[in-house]
Amino acid sequence: AQTVTQSQPEMSVQEAETVTLSCTYDTSESNYYLFWYKQPPSRQMILVIRQEAYKQQNATENRFSVNFQKAAKSFSLKISDSQLGDTAMYFCASPIYNQGGKLIFGQGTELSVKP
Amino acid sequence: EAQVTQNPRYLITVTGKKLTVTCSQNMNHEYMSWYRQDPGLGLRQIYYSMNVEVTDKGDVPEGYKVSRKEKRNFPLILESPSPNQTSLYFCASSPFAGSTDTQYFGPGTRLTVL
């Protein structure tokens, strides 16, 4: 069965510092995307960044970047220059193609950015 | 602006009173899906639709109905709501179903069934 695991239930970071959130996954598909979604206190699910599995280059979106280790099935999110607005729950997710593209989510990591 | 919209955003109702949560997307996406989010259980898929008139069950379809008569709309129907359907509901869409498509989420609907 396809799985996504986030082993850090909570993390905190000082404003302007860097933090890394961990995610491991297991999939039988040969080409796939991996996603990080952010859920702030408003509860909306917001796409942060995505990584296509066949690309060796790690994805980057402004202050957000990933460290994608395909062989290790690891997909961590690095947030640089953390801002108060980054305070949120972060979910790692992977879709299952043969189940209609259903997203499998990790358990989430609650990130607090402290002033 | 490309977006997924849901209405209502908040709803308090009573057991057995039929309700519909609407979902609409303006991106011409073929794939749409409903999830519910519950503490300790994460996000679970309720139903999904690959295209107009094509729908299928997700992981937790009991007590829900859906329809897809138009490409942009995918309403979630609770014909006889019960307290265990109190949850945060998300609609999502993507261009096509599959591992290479990003799913974009609506703002969520918080439903309370008394």
Side-chain angles (χ1 to χ4, degrees):
Chain A
Q2 190 157 332
T3 59
V4 177
T5 303
Q6 294 176 249
S7 58
Q8 304 154 314
E10 298 177 353
M11 295 189 73
S12 65
V13 63
Q14 291 296 128
E15 196 174 6
E17 293 188 346
T18 296
V19 64
T20 299
L21 281 58
S22 301
C23 172
T24 58
Y25 66 94
D26 192 13
T27 180
S28 58
E29 301 192 30
S30 57
N31 189 26
Y32 51 91
Y33 270 102
L34 294 164
F35 305 99
W36 279 98
Y37 284 91
K38 167 185 177 181
Q39 189 174 40
S42 67
R43 307 307 299 275
Q44 184 157 2
M45 293 291 283
I46 301 166
L47 179 69
V48 175
I49 197 166
R50 64 182 183 179
Q51 173 77 43
E52 192 163 5
Y54 78 85
K55 290 187 177 179
Q56 292 187 345
Q57 187 173 9
N58 289 325
T60 299
E61 290 285 345
N62 300 315
R63 298 182 295 106
F64 299 89
S65 61
V66 301
N67 182 7
F68 175 50
Q69 302 288 332
K70 190 173 183 179
K73 295 185 176 178
S74 170
F75 180 59
S76 59
L77 175 69
K78 185 171 86 170
I79 306 175
S80 304
D81 186 25
S82 297
Q83 301 176 357
L84 297 177
D86 295 333
T87 292
M89 183 74 85
Y90 288 81
F91 293 96
C92 178
S94 175
I96 304 177
Y97 177 74
N98 63 4
Q99 293 187 30
K102 175 178 71 175
L103 279 173
I104 298 295
F105 289 86
Q107 301 89 328
T109 297
E110 187 165 7
L111 177 67
S112 297
V113 179
K114 300 185 184 305
Chain B
E1 179 189 355
Q3 59 182 349
V4 180
T5 57
Q6 294 179 228
N7 282 292
R9 295 288 311 279
Y10 303 90
L11 178 61
I12 300 174
T13 189
V14 296
T15 298
K17 186 176 181 181
K18 181 179 179 179
L19 66 92
T20 299
V21 183
T22 64
C23 172
S24 183
Q25 50 90 8
N26 62 1
M27 297 171 278
N28 201 38
H29 285 173
E30 289 193 354
Y31 179 86
M32 297 185 74
S33 179
W34 278 101
Y35 295 86
R36 60 178 288 175
Q37 185 179 27
D38 302 287
L41 296 175
L43 288 103
R44 295 175 292 170
Q45 190 183 55
I46 303 170
Y47 268 96
Y48 65 93
S49 170
M50 305 281 272
N51 213 325
V52 176
E53 302 292 3
V54 181
T55 63
D56 208 346
K57 297 176 181 178
D59 294 323
V60 288
E62 295 78 18
Y64 304 94
K65 285 177 58 176
V66 293
S67 68
R68 186 93 181 272
K69 300 187 186 308
E70 306 167 280
K71 199 170 188 178
R72 62 184 293 125
N73 296 324
F74 190 44
L76 180 70
I77 303 158
L78 287 72
E79 297 219 325
S80 183
S82 62
N84 65 11
Q85 293 178 299
T86 293
S87 187
L88 178 60
Y89 291 86
F90 288 101
C91 180
S93 74
S94 68
F96 306 97
S99 298
T100 60
D101 275 316
T102 301
Q103 289 190 33
Y104 298 93
F105 284 79
T109 295
R110 183 170 291 283
L111 172 66
T112 301
V113 183
L114 302 174

